[in-house]
Amino acid sequence: MNHSTNVDSPVIAEIGSLYDRLQGLEDQRRRRGVRYPLPVILVMVLMAKLAGEDTPHGIAEWLQQRRESICHHLGFRRGTTPHATTLGRILGGAVMVETLDRLVGEYLVDIQPQSVEEPANGQRPPEPLAIDGKTLRGTIPRGQSQGMHLLALYSPTQEAVWRQLAVDHKANEIAVAPQLLKSIDLAGKVITGDALHAQVSLAEQIIRGRGDYLFVLKENHPHTYAALERLFTEPEMRPGFSAVAKDFQQAVVYNKAHGRRERRCLTTSTMLNDYLDWPGLAQVMCIERQAVDLVTQAVTKQRRYAITSLSRQRASAHDLLCLQRQHWQIENALHYRRDVTFAEDASQVRNPRAQQVMASLNNLALGIIRRFRLRPSVPDERRRYCAQPHLALRLLLSAPS
């Protein structure tokens, strides 16, 4: 047990719990006049976020309505909870965001259940990690188009953010991605990214780290794109000539949802491995998607190309199709939920640092909800924690089991 001495009465928290880990955060405030210790403030904010509150005013009101119980469990004899202005000031000036992001990532990894089953072939499949960025719209000044931009490394299988870094307004995601990948052990991981992150230098870094990559390609790599386009386009044959034999392998999946019927086909080849100058290249891919609107019967078609360092022995066409689809969970399961469910884009917090802290706590709240969920949706889980806040507090004071 960890007995904190920073409050009026000791807070009883297990060693390794989130509250215990938050003790390691450096408080940037002057010590004189500090009424609420930083770990306690963050636990309070996180409890309110788990319960459905997203703004400083809503968080402060939620805490005020439950102040007796919360102060009792967190050791405040004075029986007060922070005002919205106090919350904004603390989140915007007391927290080392980089340290908080690292702590959040480590905690979310640690609370995941550990698999005890050995794979049939003795080799575990690579852990997919999607890399993608998101702008905090509330930080965009009036009349301008750029604001705080965060680059995240997200685990689709664990539904949790492993790392997150801010992108300087004078830089872009390409410059920050290598720093993000340096913060983790790449061995046994496959990094998936869109065309922006399809960079030779990033592929080299991943291969040196004994990891793998799967990148979508566009015309930003004209030589590679043209080679893939020629390979996967059927040529017009003249009489008396036959097509060149190719080593294509395919995987096709069908699904019906959201008012449309979809067919996805992924075709792989190894014929360009020695021709294209990409580190560790093992397969190239053509990904075709056809969707039919069930009401209008309108048909839309889409074709994309991708490359990977995963060989056919390690990843079949079906495996690659699953990995490619998993990448977009960073949009659907993370960015969309932060924007809509946690109202991140509608935030009225104007302090960029406070918004970045709130984004980190959104990642943390989402990871906790998805790990310990009893109900199918995030809003349902937030309503459960609102009705039973002691459940949220128990999670935050308990060590991962």
Side-chain angles (χ1 to χ4, degrees):
M1 295 291 183
N2 175 40
H3 297 265
S4 173
T5 59
N6 293 327
V7 291
D8 297 330
S9 300
V11 179
I12 300 178
E14 295 180 359
I15 295 176
S17 66
L18 179 63
Y19 181 86
D20 179 49
R21 297 174 192 227
L22 290 174
Q23 302 292 326
L25 283 177
E26 182 182 350
D27 194 333
Q28 299 296 294
R29 295 172 293 175
R30 295 180 179 178
R31 297 186 64 180
R32 183 176 180 180
V34 171
R35 175 175 293 184
Y36 302 101
L38 186 56
V40 173
I41 283 288
L42 294 177
V43 165
M44 286 182 173
V45 172
L46 191 56
M47 285 181 65
K49 276 193 167 293
L50 288 171
E53 298 297 338
D54 300 307
T55 66
H57 177 79
I59 292 169
E61 185 69 19
W62 187 88
L63 293 171
Q64 173 66 18
Q65 293 175 358
R66 296 158 179 81
R67 64 184 183 279
E68 291 184 6
S69 174
I70 291 175
C71 289
H72 170 72
H73 286 97
L74 294 181
F76 281 104
R77 294 176 183 170
R78 62 178 62 93
T80 62
T81 54
H83 187 270
T85 304
T86 304
L87 287 175
R89 184 173 63 252
I90 294 174
L91 296 180
V95 184
M96 292 286 290
V97 187
E98 297 78 8
T99 307
L100 177 63
D101 277 326
R102 177 180 53 79
L103 185 149
V104 167
E106 292 173 352
Y107 176 76
L108 291 178
V109 170
D110 288 347
I111 65 175
Q112 302 303 320
Q114 300 298 317
S115 175
V116 295
E117 296 183 6
E118 287 295 328
N121 59 2
Q123 183 178 7
R124 293 190 180 278
E127 170 76 25
L129 292 175
I131 186 169
D132 195 28
K134 177 187 180 298
T135 297
L136 302 179
R137 297 188 181 276
T139 65
I140 301 176
R142 180 173 297 179
Q144 299 185 26
S145 59
Q146 293 184 335
M148 174 74 69
H149 192 81
L150 303 177
L151 185 63
L153 196 61
Y154 178 78
S155 169
T157 55
Q158 298 178 356
E159 298 184 270
V161 175
W162 279 29
R163 292 291 187 275
Q164 182 172 269
L165 284 178
V167 179
D168 188 86
H169 69 281
K170 295 182 180 179
N172 57 29
E173 292 184 18
I174 298 175
V176 175
Q179 303 174 38
L180 192 66
L181 296 185
K182 283 181 182 177
S183 64
I184 68 163
D185 180 9
L186 292 170
K189 315 294 191 303
V190 52
I191 307 300
T192 63
D194 57 21
L196 178 64
H197 296 107
Q199 304 294 326
V200 173
S201 58
L202 198 64
E204 287 179 349
Q205 179 182 349
I206 294 169
I207 294 299
R208 286 198 307 269
R210 297 180 293 117
D212 291 285
Y213 61 83
L214 192 160
F215 293 144
V216 171
L217 284 176
K218 290 185 178 178
E219 290 86 344
N220 57 333
H221 291 282
H223 172 69
T224 304
Y225 188 88
L228 268 67
E229 196 171 36
R230 286 194 302 270
L231 176 66
F232 291 109
T233 301
E234 286 292 333
E236 294 184 8
M237 300 307 302
R238 296 181 180 180
F241 291 84
S242 60
V244 176
K246 297 181 179 179
D247 67 339
F248 288 174
Q249 292 185 2
Q250 280 190 341
V252 181
V253 296
Y254 298 88
N255 67 288
K256 180 179 177 182
H258 308 294
R260 59 180 179 268
R261 184 173 61 252
E262 292 184 338
R263 175 185 183 271
R264 297 176 186 267
C265 174
L266 184 141
T267 306
T268 70
S269 174
T270 63
M271 297 178 68
L272 297 180
N273 290 357
D274 297 327
Y275 175 70
L276 297 177
D277 190 20
W278 281 87
L281 180 64
Q283 296 187 76
V284 296
M285 293 162 277
C286 175
I287 307 158
E288 297 175 298
R289 172 181 172 270
Q290 177 177 295
V292 179
D293 190 293
L294 298 178
V295 177
T296 65
Q297 296 302 307
V299 179
T300 58
K301 295 182 179 180
Q302 184 183 58
R303 171 180 277 205
R304 289 181 294 174
Y305 301 108
I307 58 174
T308 184
S309 60
L310 290 167
S311 65
R312 282 184 167 171
Q313 291 72 31
R314 299 174 60 208
S316 65
H318 183 268
D319 295 331
L320 294 176
L321 182 56
C322 292
L323 281 172
Q324 197 275 331
R325 294 194 68 184
Q326 280 182 320
H327 171 77
W328 298 110
Q329 287 187 34
I330 194 172
E331 292 286 349
N332 302 328
L334 178 66
H335 293 165
Y336 177 83
R337 286 190 173 121
R338 277 171 47 181
D339 286 344
V340 178
T341 307
F342 284 77
E344 196 169 272
D345 274 357
S347 174
Q348 296 299 306
V349 177
R350 288 296 174 257
N351 185 313
R353 196 170 188 83
Q355 273 231 22
Q356 191 177 351
V357 172
M358 293 287 270
S360 299
L361 295 179
N362 287 342
N363 290 337
L364 181 54
L366 267 173
I368 291 173
I369 287 172
R370 301 305 289 175
R371 167 64 181 87
F372 299 104
R373 63 179 178 237
L374 296 179
R375 298 180 182 180
S377 73
V378 173
D380 286 343
E381 282 293 278
R382 297 183 88 186
R383 284 188 285 270
R384 181 168 73 94
Y385 286 124
C386 183
Q388 305 175 75
H390 64 279
L391 297 179
L393 186 60
R394 186 186 306 164
L395 286 177
L396 306 182
L397 300 183
S398 300
S401 56

